[in-house]
Amino acid sequence: MDTREGMTTEHPENAAAFVANDARLKWHDESLWFVRQKRDRATSVIPEWETLRALGADIKAHTLSRLADYLEEFEQKATALGAHVHFARDAEEHNRIVHGLLARANVTRVVKSKSMLTEQCGLNHYLEAHGIEVIDTDLGERIVQLRHEPPSHIVMPAIHLKKEEIGDLFHDTMGAASGTSDPKVLTEVARGRLRGNLLAAQAGITGVNFAIAETGGVVVCTNEGNADLGTSIPPLHIACMGIEKVIPRAKDLGVFLRLLARSATGQPVTAYSSHFHGPRPGGELHIVIVDHGRSAILGREHYRRTLQCIRCGACMNTCPVYRRSGGHSYGVTVPGPLGAVLAPHIDPKKHRSLPFASTLCGSCSDVCPVQIDLHQQLLLWRGELGHAELIPLRKRAASQLAGWVLARTWAYEFLGRIARWILPKLPKALLRANDWGRQRELPPAPKESFRELYRRRRGQ
């Protein structure tokens, strides 16, 4: 589901540089945990939060069970409102459709609000290669665009950067005073530049958070209002969405709006929830609906729940591996536990390390607003990749040996005694030679196992 080229997804190697910078690692970890805590506070004051999660999961599951019907209904209702609906099989067709619409209108300047779908499709690069200037108007997206790097988080694209680094970037690219690091001042500098881009734009591209089959309208959620400006000034609006963004009824929207912002940033609701029902007077609205591997996931029973995702990023904010390795280490547009489940569907060999970038603690599943069992799916992927012999022989052999031992009580007890005897005698240098042991100290080995301790205390 990702067209990013030139990057491997060997997560441990990609994470090494991020992990080596202790200060950045600690700051990144604490920043995301702060957001996770805000989410906890926001949800704790909603007595019916778990009911909302269950309701959201049920609505999404029902929608996926009749996805073709709801997409057809949405197309009919949107067309009746004056919008033009296009279907794209994959990223290439999506990009070709969008470029065709822009070329037909002689557009050379485009503003775009945040859209992970267009990031996955590589739309910016495609349009720029065809002579069209694309300006991302979400502040975080604009920052990473100016740095010529992908987002590291689906909600907070520049969360991996410090304000001092952004100050230097704005000094080099926007004329901000040297040494400026005050977030308010930097935001004002960016606002002044983006205002000019918005006024000069000939077309606006947005993502879609929700598409309502009952009404034919689409909803875009932002905190900066950039999607509204980007679609209100130019006459051409192109909205790009995955097939899974459709929901059945208008009244379902309230459930997801309550879940989305609280899970993403701990806010009661996003600052702007913009509804587009047909084009504005004198304008054009085109909605491009993209499959790009989603139907294949829908056809796999154990994995289809990932299509319930509403892209809040809560699984990333809570994941101990993501917080300590950074989003770029995953090498895909959607990082974290969700990306580790999605990416192998497209290329299992290329993304084989991602399902192992997890402790399987289950925290991602616990905070998911639509109850996706992410850690279970990561475990399923590990099994699939092992059976397909896509993981190193050493790891497969170790897993098979561990499985053999854990299935036999006598072997487990025997090897446990040997381990408790030999571990205190091993030189520490031997432990340091192991990847796992480089940053860890083994606790003292106990003199007896839990089973022996239990038997002794029970007098058996």
Side-chain angles (χ1 to χ4, degrees), residues 331-394:
V332 289
T333 299
V334 178
L338 177 64
V341 171
L342 290 175
H345 286 287
I346 298 302
D347 190 336
K349 185 176 181 180
K350 180 180 179 183
H351 304 301
R352 62 192 174 188
S353 74
L354 295 187
F356 294 89
S358 168
T359 63
L360 298 182
C361 64
S363 186
C364 50
S365 303
D366 288 343
V367 300
C368 177
V370 286
Q371 300 182 332
I372 302 173
D373 54 344
L374 286 165
H375 73 296
Q376 296 289 355
Q377 297 193 29
L378 289 169
L379 185 60
L380 278 174
W381 262 123
R382 292 185 185 187
E384 279 198 34
L385 295 170
H387 288 305
E389 300 186 352
L390 289 176
I391 57 177
L393 177 62
R394 184 179 62 176

Side-chain angles (χ1 to χ4, degrees), residues 242-256:
I243 58 174
E244 81 283 8
K245 291 299 178 74
V246 70
I247 58 174
R249 301 159 299 185
K251 69 178 184 181
D252 298 329
L253 183 63
V255 175
F256 295 110

Side-chain angles (χ1 to χ4, degrees), residues 172-340:
D172 294 338
T173 59
M174 294 190 183
S178 178
T180 304
S181 62
D182 183 276
K184 185 175 184 302
V185 174
L186 293 173
T187 303
E188 290 295 340
V189 171
R191 178 181 292 172
R193 283 300 188 97
L194 286 172
R195 184 178 293 121
N197 297 131
L198 287 161
L199 290 171
Q202 298 163 302
I205 298 175
T206 69
V208 171
N209 289 91
F210 305 101
I212 307 167
E214 181 183 45
T215 66
V218 297
V219 179
V220 182
C221 302
T222 70
N223 276 323
E224 300 170 20
N226 54 309
D228 299 73
L229 280 173
T231 55
S232 299
I233 299 172
L236 176 59
H237 174 194
I238 302 173
C240 304
M241 58 176 270
I243 58 174
E244 81 283 8
K245 291 299 178 74
V246 70
I247 58 174
R249 301 159 299 185
K251 69 178 184 181
D252 298 329
L253 183 63
V255 175
F256 295 110
L257 290 180
R258 295 185 74 191
L259 290 169
L260 177 63
R262 287 180 172 87
S263 299
T265 56
Q267 299 170 243
V269 70
T270 48
Y272 299 88
S273 298
S274 307
H275 297 237
F276 300 94
H277 284 77
R280 66 182 176 85
E284 283 186 41
L285 171 60
H286 293 263
I287 304 168
V288 186
I289 303 176
V290 187
D291 188 312
H292 197 44
R294 289 163 173 78
S295 290
I297 298 175
L298 186 64
R300 304 191 68 185
E301 182 181 354
H302 296 304
Y303 295 103
R304 70 173 53 160
R305 288 178 70 179
T306 52
L307 296 177
Q308 296 179 188
C309 179
I310 59 174
R311 300 294 193 268
C312 67
C315 59
M316 298 164 202
N317 302 339
T318 197
C319 176
V321 175
Y322 175 87
R323 296 200 320 264
R324 292 170 176 83
S325 63
H328 289 161
S329 64
Y330 292 79
V332 289
T333 299
V334 178
L338 177 64

Side-chain angles (χ1 to χ4, degrees), residues 11 34 79 82 120 135 153 166 179 206 210 223 227 241 249-250 255 266 288 322 418 423 453 455 458:
H11 183 267
F34 173 75
T79 302
Q120 290 173 331
I135 301 293
H153 189 289
I166 296 169
T206 69
F210 305 101
N223 276 323
M241 58 176 270
R249 301 159 299 185
V255 175
V288 186
Y322 175 87
I418 291 178
L423 279 175
L453 178 67
R455 284 174 182 158
R458 296 271 298 185

Side-chain angles (χ1 to χ4, degrees), residues 31-46 49 153 155-156 223 257-271 312-314 317 367:
S31 298
L32 287 162
W33 189 246
F34 173 75
V35 180
R36 158 67 203 265
Q37 289 177 315
K38 279 184 67 184
R39 174 260 176 207
D40 291 347
R41 287 194 294 272
T43 59
S44 67
V45 297
I46 307 293
W49 180 251
H153 189 289
V155 175
M156 298 168 283
N223 276 323
L257 290 180
R258 295 185 74 191
L259 290 169
L260 177 63
R262 287 180 172 87
S263 299
T265 56
Q267 299 170 243
V269 70
T270 48
C312 67
N317 302 339
V367 300

Side-chain angles (χ1 to χ4, degrees), residues 2-206:
D2 198 292
T3 60
R4 193 182 303 176
E5 295 179 351
M7 294 186 69
T8 69
T9 54
E10 291 300 326
H11 183 267
E13 287 77 8
N14 290 345
F18 190 90
V19 173
N21 188 334
D22 280 344
R24 185 181 297 275
L25 185 152
K26 185 172 185 296
W27 165 80
H28 189 264
D29 182 19
E30 290 176 348
S31 298
L32 287 162
W33 189 246
F34 173 75
V35 180
R36 158 67 203 265
Q37 289 177 315
K38 279 184 67 184
R39 174 260 176 207
D40 291 347
R41 287 194 294 272
T43 59
S44 67
V45 297
I46 307 293
E48 68 275 23
W49 180 251
E50 291 305 318
T51 303
L52 268 179
R53 288 181 72 212
L55 185 56
D58 288 346
I59 293 170
K60 281 287 187 176
H62 164 76
T63 309
L64 292 175
S65 72
R66 294 185 50 202
L67 187 58
D69 295 334
Y70 284 122
L71 284 171
E72 188 176 348
E73 182 182 354
F74 173 78
E75 180 193 17
Q76 292 171 353
K77 297 290 176 59
T79 302
L81 291 171
H84 302 272
V85 180
H86 311 261
F87 287 91
R89 188 179 299 105
D90 51 28
E92 184 180 350
E93 188 172 9
H94 163 267
N95 293 345
R96 199 164 55 241
I97 290 172
V98 174
H99 174 247
L101 294 170
L102 297 173
R104 193 192 63 187
N106 296 317
V107 171
T108 57
R109 296 186 303 275
V110 173
V111 286
K112 185 165 74 68
S113 67
K114 189 163 60 185
S115 162
M116 286 302 108
L117 174 69
T118 58
E119 289 287 340
Q120 290 173 331
C121 294
L123 181 64
N124 282 18
H125 297 306
Y126 185 92
L127 295 181
E128 286 164 0
H130 286 79
I132 297 174
E133 180 190 51
V134 183
I135 301 293
D136 280 307
T137 56
D138 174 89
L139 182 55
E141 286 275 293
R142 184 59 179 152
I143 290 168
V144 295
Q145 186 184 32
L146 289 170
R147 286 172 60 90
H148 307 290
E149 64 183 18
S152 69
H153 189 289
I154 63 172
V155 175
M156 298 168 283
I159 188 67
H160 59 292
L161 298 173
K162 288 194 163 189
K163 59 185 180 182
E164 290 80 9
E165 294 172 297
I166 296 169
D168 292 341
L169 175 70
F170 282 13
H171 170 66
D172 294 338
T173 59
M174 294 190 183
S178 178
T180 304
S181 62
D182 183 276
K184 185 175 184 302
V185 174
L186 293 173
T187 303
E188 290 295 340
V189 171
R191 178 181 292 172
R193 283 300 188 97
L194 286 172
R195 184 178 293 121
N197 297 131
L198 287 161
L199 290 171
Q202 298 163 302
I205 298 175
T206 69

